[in-house]
Amino acid sequence: MNPTIVIGVVMNILSTVGVVITNKYITGVDGYNYMIFLSFLHFAATALGTRVLLACGVFTYRDAPMSAVLPVSVGSLMSVAFMNLNLANNSVGFYQLSKLLCIPVTLVIQYFAYKSSVSNSVKLTLIPITFGVGYATVYDLDITLTGIVYASCAIVATAMSQIFTSTYQKSLDCNALQLLYHTAPLIGMGMLVMC
């Protein structure tokens, strides 16, 4: 296996887990209650970062109309906002499991909305995910009704965001960085307005 891929996967996991634990720490221990503003800072940095990467030649510019990137931006905005509220109001374990539940929900929405199906082996992998979320919901003592509402909204918003991103990325013939170049500033502005 290519060592660059292994390093990339390990760094992705470490950074993702690090962000979640850090965010939970600052909300739970330090009492920081401005998660939407924190998300604005993340997307402002992402917007700036994509411009730097473009200037460095890491990817090429691809034009995309506002009408095509707006649904992706709104979907991502709602996903991130509700996921952060989910994390702020639930335990890290339940938050992570609710993120996993986005997978079967996305597949169900795709099946009913687009008649898109997956293989039986993929369907079988969803059984332990769904069981784990159900088990955690019943036995996690840190779950509140508010937390469950935020988690439910986050799951639906994330599923829709994934579908919008996949659909519009294909229709615009953009790679992930090209689409992020257009959506990050819009998401950041949306986060700032939500603050």
Side-chain angles (χ1 to χ4, degrees), residues 18 23 26 29 48 51-53 78-79 90 93 100-101 103 122 133 168 192:
N23 284 349
I26 64 173
V29 176
L48 179 63
R51 273 120 187 99
V52 169
L53 292 174
M78 299 309 292
S79 171
N90 290 310
L100 285 175
L101 194 57
I103 298 166
V122 170
V133 172
Y168 285 98
L192 190 58

Side-chain angles (χ1 to χ4, degrees), residues 35-174:
M35 293 304 289
I36 304 299
F37 180 71
L38 188 60
S39 294
F40 157 72
L41 294 176
H42 289 167
F43 279 101
T46 301
L48 179 63
T50 56
R51 273 120 187 99
V52 169
L53 292 174
L54 178 64
C56 292
V58 174
F59 68 97
T60 57
Y61 177 80
R62 164 94 65 206
D63 193 35
M66 176 73 79
S67 60
V69 297
L70 195 57
V72 176
S73 300
V74 170
S76 296
L77 173 69
M78 299 309 292
S79 171
V80 171
F82 280 121
M83 274 298 175
N84 282 339
L85 291 168
N86 177 13
L87 178 61
N89 288 276
N90 290 310
S91 67
V92 172
F94 183 77
Y95 166 80
Q96 293 289 25
L97 286 171
S98 67
K99 283 182 72 172
L100 285 175
L101 194 57
C102 293
I103 298 166
V105 170
T106 301
L107 294 177
V108 167
I109 292 171
Q110 283 181 319
Y111 177 78
F112 286 108
Y114 300 101
K115 302 297 181 223
S116 173
S117 187
V118 295
S119 68
N120 286 335
S121 59
V122 170
K123 291 175 187 171
L124 287 173
T125 63
L126 300 177
I127 293 170
I129 291 171
T130 307
F131 175 77
V133 172
Y135 182 81
T137 303
V138 172
Y139 292 103
D140 193 332
L141 300 176
D142 292 335
I143 295 175
T144 64
L145 179 59
T146 302
I148 290 174
V149 169
Y150 284 138
S152 299
C153 292
I155 291 165
V156 172
T158 301
M160 294 308 299
S161 173
Q162 292 294 327
I163 292 168
F164 288 161
T165 299
S166 174
T167 301
Y168 285 98
Q169 188 172 339
K170 287 176 189 168
S171 70
L172 294 169
D173 194 28
C174 288

Side-chain angles (χ1 to χ4, degrees), residues 1-62:
M1 182 176 275
N2 185 337
T4 306
I5 293 172
V6 172
I7 291 169
V9 168
V10 169
M11 293 305 295
N12 184 15
I13 292 169
L14 291 176
S15 64
T16 302
V17 171
V19 166
V20 169
I21 290 172
T22 302
N23 284 349
K24 187 62 180 179
Y25 179 85
I26 64 173
T27 58
V29 176
D30 293 338
Y32 184 82
N33 293 319
Y34 306 102
M35 293 304 289
I36 304 299
F37 180 71
L38 188 60
S39 294
F40 157 72
L41 294 176
H42 289 167
F43 279 101
T46 301
L48 179 63
T50 56
R51 273 120 187 99
V52 169
L53 292 174
L54 178 64
C56 292
V58 174
F59 68 97
T60 57
Y61 177 80
R62 164 94 65 206

